[in-house]
């Protein structure tokens, strides 16, 4: 923190970035609009920590928004990438590594019988809904308020004015004629799902859901909610898509579908499976996946898809994820931190709640004492975002990097040590004491 009026290094770097990059960032949440202030420009990462351009260290709970489950610059991954780079960066032909990673994912996630690689999560969800439409010959997609599935046209849509009404775009440039095929329902509301299918059932191609919602802070689904999706899709012949771009290999080795015991028809992946390189994938039932080109008539392609660097990084990642006890250890770290935060907030008499599953967790400034808080987007948006912003900046000043928004999930990595967790709790205790609980 500076006490003079001289711009800080980050302020200078941000000003330079804004000259030729819209908003100075290549993805909007990085701009700190949700919390105010200046983004931290990072020079390198190692283990649990990020280092800014002045070599200040931050304990990082963003983890590149999920992929860094092993921590930054893990030697096993970096070594795999270096060896892959020596062999050449891209060939535009099949490579054996693509087969190996497909076999691995199909082994770990039994609902996935065939899988196609893409370059991002957005591509995987966009392709999965096209596939659901092509397979069923129907147009309507159901999604849920507060879930994020990347930035393709059909998925940048919110609910229309009436319940069970056609959707309206949330972005300029999305045609209303596209948005009208997307129905947006409240999360964790089984009755809304049954009502929607009763009204539109023969038009619904598929349902896409985050099986733990990680793009509205973090909301845990009721099992009954996920079961209702499964039942309605079965009854009406619609395709159930679990968007596990965030939760895949994050909440359990078999993803959220293993954690909750609900089997989707299609699953999308991203983030962790590339270990930090750009990657996505979608897969599922073989009879559905056979509709994808070149086997079937649903077109999908990618010049760099199955890129050898990303495949070999992902395979190296799986070596470590598959070690005994990996997810137990990761979950224990998350439990320790969230319970510690809750205890310190309670001691400071602050309205506060946490959620966690596996290696992801949420923090909420809320007066709600309900044990099942939060259930949906409305409950999350009712939280105190101004208090979160103060908390965020207090933590940042003490060397803890949280997501710069009250609507994002936090991520634990295996590199977070007991000392990191305790330092985070000490910082939180100090910051909580500065927050106004009136
Ligand atoms: C991050 C995310 C996406 C989009 O992935 P990108 O790689 O950013 O395109 C899609 N769905 C979910 C659930 C995500 O968390």
């Amino acid at each position: 923190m500076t006490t003079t009026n001289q711009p800080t290094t980050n302020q200078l770097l941000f000003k330079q970035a804004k000259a030729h990059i819209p908003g100075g960032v290549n993805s909007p949440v990085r701009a700190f609009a949700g919390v105010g202030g200046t983004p931290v420009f990072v020079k390198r990462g190692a283990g649990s920590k990020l280092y800014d351009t002045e070599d200040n260290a931050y304990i990082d709970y963003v983890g590149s928004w999920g992929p860094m489950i092993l921590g930054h610059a893990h030697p096993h991954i970096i070594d795999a990438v270096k060896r892959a780079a020596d062999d050449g960066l891209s060939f535009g032909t099949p490579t054996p590594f693509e087969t190996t990673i497909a076999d691995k994912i199909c082994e770990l996630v039994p609902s996935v019988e065939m899988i196609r690689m893409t370059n991002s999560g957005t591509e995987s969800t966009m392709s999965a809904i096209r596939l659901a439409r092509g397979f069923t010959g129907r147009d309507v997609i159901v999604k849920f308020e507060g879930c994020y599935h990347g930035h393709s046209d059909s998925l940048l849509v919110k609910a229309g004015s009436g319940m069970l009404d056609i959707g309206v775009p949330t972005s300029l440039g999305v045609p209303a004629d596209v948005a009208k095929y997307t129905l947006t329902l409240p999360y964790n509301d089984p009755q809304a799902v049954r009502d929607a299918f009763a009204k539109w059932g023969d038009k619904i191609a598929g349902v896409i859901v985050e099986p733990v919602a990680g793009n509205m802070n973090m909301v845990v689904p009721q099992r009954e909610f996920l079961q209702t999706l499964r039942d309605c899709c079965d009854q009406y012949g619609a395709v159930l898509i679990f968007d596990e771009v965030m939760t895949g290999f994050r909440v359990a080795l078999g993803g959220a579908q293993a954690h909750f015991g609900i089997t989707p028809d299609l699953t999308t992946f991203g983030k962790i499976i590339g270990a930090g390189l750009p990657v996505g994938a979608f897969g599922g039932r073989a009879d559905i996946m056979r509709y994808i080109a070149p086997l079937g008539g649903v077109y999908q392609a990618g010049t760099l898809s199955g890129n050898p660097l990303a495949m070999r990084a992902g395979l190296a990642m799986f070596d470590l994820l598959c070690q005994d006890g990996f997810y137990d250890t990761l979950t224990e770290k998350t439990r320790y931190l969230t319970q510690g935060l809750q205890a310190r907030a309670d001691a400071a008499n602050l309205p506060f709640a946490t959620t966690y599953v596996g290696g992801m967790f949420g923090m909420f400034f809320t007066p709600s004492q309900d044990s099942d808080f939060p259930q949906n987007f409305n409950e999350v948006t009712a939280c105190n975002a101004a208090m979160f912003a103060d908390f965020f900046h207090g933590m940042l000043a003490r060397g803890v990097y949280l997501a710069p928004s009250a609507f994002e999930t936090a991520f634990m990595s295996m590199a977070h040590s007991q000392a990191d967790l305790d330092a985070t709790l000490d910082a939180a205790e100090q910051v909580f004491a500065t927050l106004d609980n009136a």
Side-chain angles (χ1 to χ4, degrees), residues 211-338:
V212 173
N215 287 284
M216 48 168 156
N217 205 320
M218 198 197 108
V219 177
V220 181
Q222 300 163 11
R223 195 175 180 287
E224 187 206 342
F225 170 63
L226 297 180
Q227 185 66 54
T228 302
L229 302 182
R230 180 66 278 171
D231 294 345
C232 286
C233 284
D234 285 343
Q235 187 181 341
Y236 290 90
V239 176
L240 179 58
I241 306 165
F242 274 11
D243 180 356
E244 298 229 38
V245 169
M246 183 183 287
T247 55
F249 310 103
R250 165 60 62 185
V251 302
L253 192 54
Q257 53 197 273
H259 183 85
F260 293 103
I262 307 275
T263 306
D265 300 308
L266 295 178
T267 303
T268 56
F269 298 101
K271 297 191 169 116
I272 284 180
I273 64 168
L277 288 172
V279 85
F282 64 102
R285 272 168 46 190
D287 61 324
I288 303 179
M289 291 301 289
R290 285 199 190 95
Y291 274 69
I292 290 282
L295 295 181
V298 175
Y299 195 68
Q300 191 278 334
T303 300
L304 297 175
S305 294
N307 176 270
L309 246 60
M311 298 300 99
R312 289 170 75 171
L315 285 168
M317 168 78 82
F318 280 118
D319 291 341
L320 297 168
L321 300 186
C322 291
Q323 284 177 341
D324 268 358
F326 182 96
Y327 288 90
D328 292 341
T329 305
L330 183 70
T331 304
E332 175 53 25
K333 290 177 193 289
T334 317
R335 186 204 62 77
Y336 180 85
L337 186 71
T338 52

Side-chain angles (χ1 to χ4, degrees), residues 65 119-123 125 148-151 210 214-215 243-246 268 270-271 279:
W65 304 96
N119 299 294
S120 69
T122 293
E123 277 180 67
T125 52
Y148 175 70
H149 305 292
H151 62 276
E210 285 185 75
N215 287 284
D243 180 356
E244 298 229 38
V245 169
M246 183 183 287
T268 56
K271 297 191 169 116
V279 85

